[in-house]
Amino acid sequence: MEDRNAGVQTPGARVSGEVSASSTSQTPPADRQQPNRRAAATRAQAAESDTQPKPKGRKRRKRKRGRKVFARVDGQSPKAPAEIVVTVPSPQSPPAQKSEPRQPQPVPASSPHAPNRTHWQAGQELPVFAALDLGTNNCRLLVAVPSRHGHFRVIDAFSRIVRLGEGLAASGRLAGPAMDRALEALKVCGDKLRNRKIRRARLIATEACRTAENGAEFLERVEREAGLKLEIIDRQTEARLAVSGCGSLVERDTRGVVLFDIGGGSSEIALIDLTDRRSQRLANHIVSWTSLPVGVVSLAERFGGRTVTKEIFAAMVDDVAARLAAFHGRDRLSHLVSRPGFHLLGTSGTVTTLAGVHLELERYDRRRVDGLWMDRAMVDAMIEKLLGWDFQQRVANPCIGADRADLVLAGCAILEAIRGVWPSDRLRVADRGLREGILSELMADDGAWRQKWHTSGRPGGRFDSGARQ
């Protein structure tokens, strides 16, 4: 997503984003010895000034004085001073000189960055947090500020399909073109982070860098060329973060949830038992979890993604089902599966795509997808529809497109295997995941929600960026 934050460049404006109020010139006191003569002269001057046009330049200057200058933040009203980023050039600054390109400065994962913009708030300044997730298929960034307790408001986002894990299953190494694509996306993320005063950030890499022989070598290159130091997280951490990111979609009357995150190179599954007293962190209720070393990219590369017959699809389902059969904790929710209060919760491009196709969206809209409930018949119908489409038909669908057309059926196969082990009449769709989990944990650990931040009365929605997962 493009960063459309617009700076305001107004000559004479103060750094506070306001132009000082105009000062009025003081009229000398009247001559007490000649009040009538001085008053008459004053009236004559006023009449003469009314008949002559005033200089346009002076009129414009008067209009500028006292006017507030606001910069528009992406997707927000320009009348919201609590979320303003103002960039005003110094009038004394000399014109910029051309210089040789230099290496980007490192962006540490857990310390503030040197800002090149000034954030002005209507009250106490809101702390800014950031989360970056480099996966097998996508590179994603979220930048957010805390709002009401347990929620945050996204102020910037970026998402790009880079297919870092392309060819990894066959070679065991990250390919050169794949690393180049990911690096270009990470450079964009680095620029966004350095353009803000970040209080805390966490930058993670998952399955592709975790399993590739040259994964650590690639991250050294990222630090050198993009100025970003990423950490490779283990599968258990990945599962926990996915759960943390979806906590608000689990309703109070829920007793059991199987949450799954179908990624590009792995699929995380967490079994959540909520029959006991519920704590604020959903991750505290995980009773069992697993990470399957299979995702949409790796499965599609092994079985084919462009032409998928019903026989090929069934073979993919059987492959994933065999892996789930080796999951020893799979029965930890068996006492809840067939009862009310149990459902599946999916966070991935697979389930959001199914939801978009189901809603027949002309353009993907995460506001309609995130939190959507789908029953068993709806999911069956969407998978059957996608199986009946050829590759070009999948490309033509606005919720699939060319980037996902060869991966979506592999994701559906993983979903079918999960539904076979934990049958449920209800599936809830989440257009959120690791980044949101990272932000939730960073803000909770930092005590951000214990502060009373001023937001000019604007309610904070949890995810307002509209970025596709």
Side-chain angles (χ1 to χ4, degrees):
M1 142 177 199
E2 296 295 332
D3 187 357
R4 293 174 289 181
N5 286 356
V8 175
Q9 299 182 352
T10 305
R14 294 190 177 184
V15 178
S16 65
E18 296 185 5
V19 181
S20 60
S22 57
S23 59
T24 57
S25 58
Q26 300 295 324
T27 303
D31 187 351
R32 294 180 180 178
Q33 298 179 356
Q34 299 177 346
N36 296 334
R37 183 185 303 172
R38 187 63 57 88
T42 302
R43 288 194 297 271
Q45 291 176 359
E48 181 180 359
S49 64
D50 289 340
T51 60
Q52 296 180 359
K54 296 181 180 180
K56 293 184 178 180
R58 183 178 179 184
K59 186 175 182 179
R60 284 198 299 268
R61 286 197 299 273
K62 280 192 173 183
R63 282 203 300 265
K64 286 184 178 180
R65 294 188 182 116
R67 186 184 65 188
K68 293 184 179 180
V69 181
F70 293 138
R72 180 181 296 274
V73 177
D74 184 22
Q76 300 170 14
S77 169
K79 296 181 180 180
E83 300 138 23
I84 295 305
V85 178
V86 179
T87 304
V88 181
S90 173
Q92 291 81 18
S93 301
Q97 300 293 330
K98 294 184 179 180
S99 59
E100 296 296 326
R102 59 183 179 179
Q103 296 294 327
Q105 296 298 316
V107 180
S110 300
S111 62
H113 314 301
N116 62 4
R117 296 186 183 185
T118 305
H119 296 250
W120 300 101
Q121 309 296 335
Q124 192 173 6
E125 182 178 353
L126 287 166
V128 182
F129 298 83
L132 186 147
D133 168 24
L134 177 63
T136 304
N137 196 43
N138 292 272
C139 176
R140 307 179 179 105
L141 172 72
L142 278 186
V143 183
V145 294
S147 57
R148 58 192 174 92
H149 184 78
H151 292 69
F152 54 79
R153 182 171 47 79
V154 174
I155 60 174
D156 200 359
F158 174 83
S159 180
R160 180 181 296 175
I161 294 178
V162 296
R163 298 206 179 201
L164 178 59
E166 190 173 58
L168 176 60
S171 67
R173 296 179 59 83
L174 301 176
M179 290 189 289
D180 292 341
R181 290 192 300 267
L183 186 58
E184 289 304 311
L186 289 168
K187 288 179 180 179
V188 176
C189 295
D191 290 341
K192 286 178 173 289
L193 290 173
R194 282 182 288 270
N195 284 344
R196 295 185 182 275
K197 183 179 179 182
I198 304 295
R199 183 179 182 89
R200 291 186 65 185
R202 190 173 186 185
L203 321 176
I204 66 169
T206 57
E207 185 69 10
C209 294
R210 192 161 52 212
T211 60
E213 295 176 7
N214 57 342
E217 178 184 338
F218 170 64
L219 293 189
E220 291 176 1
R221 180 186 171 192
V222 169
E223 184 175 2
R224 184 172 62 252
E225 298 184 26
L228 299 176
K229 186 174 179 60
L230 276 64
E231 61 168 314
I232 300 176
I233 62 171
D234 57 36
R235 292 189 173 102
Q236 183 175 6
T237 302
E238 187 172 355
R240 189 195 77 239
L241 290 174
V243 172
S244 297
C246 298
S248 63
L249 290 182
V250 178
E251 297 173 348
R252 280 291 172 185
D253 59 350
T254 302
R255 298 175 59 82
V257 176
V258 173
L259 185 146
F260 59 91
D261 181 1
I262 302 174
S266 66
S267 297
E268 279 61 49
I269 302 172
L271 277 61
I272 303 168
D273 189 339
L274 295 167
T275 53
D276 293 333
R277 183 175 180 180
R278 181 169 173 176
S279 66
Q280 291 186 348
R281 293 196 180 189
L282 188 64
N284 293 341
H285 297 277
I286 299 175
V287 294
S288 187
W289 69 275
T290 188
S291 179
L292 305 180
V294 61
V296 295
V297 175
S298 55
L299 195 62
E301 287 184 350
R302 286 196 292 118
F303 288 90
R306 294 176 65 94
T307 302
V308 182
T309 64
K310 290 187 176 182
E311 291 74 21
I312 293 176
F313 184 78
M316 287 194 285
V317 175
D318 291 342
D319 181 273
V320 180
R323 299 174 187 273
L324 285 172
F327 173 31
H328 298 297
R330 56 186 287 179
D331 297 326
R332 295 293 300 274
L333 291 182
S334 58
H335 60 295
L336 298 174
V337 169
S338 58
R339 297 183 181 181
F342 172 81
H343 67 85
L344 301 178
L345 176 57
T347 166
S348 65
T350 296
V351 292
T352 57
T353 297
L354 284 176
V357 174
H358 165 70
L359 294 172
E360 298 181 346
L361 299 179
E362 295 182 358
R363 181 181 180 183
Y364 184 83
D365 184 353
R366 72 165 307 279
R367 294 171 298 179
R368 296 186 61 186
V369 168
D370 186 48
L372 178 71
W373 287 100
M374 297 182 68
D375 61 32
R376 186 195 303 268
M378 292 175 184
V379 178
D380 290 340
M382 291 306 101
I383 294 177
E384 191 68 23
K385 175 182 286 190
L386 293 180
L387 270 174
W389 287 351
D390 60 23
F391 178 73
Q392 293 302 327
Q393 287 176 299
R394 297 196 298 272
V395 170
N397 186 277
C399 293
I400 302 175
D403 289 332
R404 300 174 185 268
D406 60 337
L407 304 176
V408 63
L409 286 174
C412 289
I414 298 173
L415 173 58
E416 281 293 82
I418 292 172
R419 295 173 72 209
V421 177
W422 298 282
S424 174
D425 290 332
R426 298 191 304 158
L427 164 66
R428 195 163 203 189
V429 179
D431 189 348
R432 57 184 76 188
L434 297 182
R435 297 171 301 166
E436 292 82 3
I438 291 171
L439 289 173
S440 294
E441 293 194 354
L442 286 178
M443 292 181 186
D445 293 342
D446 196 64
W449 289 310
R450 292 197 296 269
Q451 305 293 330
K452 293 184 179 180
W453 307 106
H454 297 281
T455 58
S456 298
R458 290 170 56 87
R462 190 176 181 91
F463 311 116
D464 301 329
S465 69
R468 178 73 185 269
Q469 294 295 317

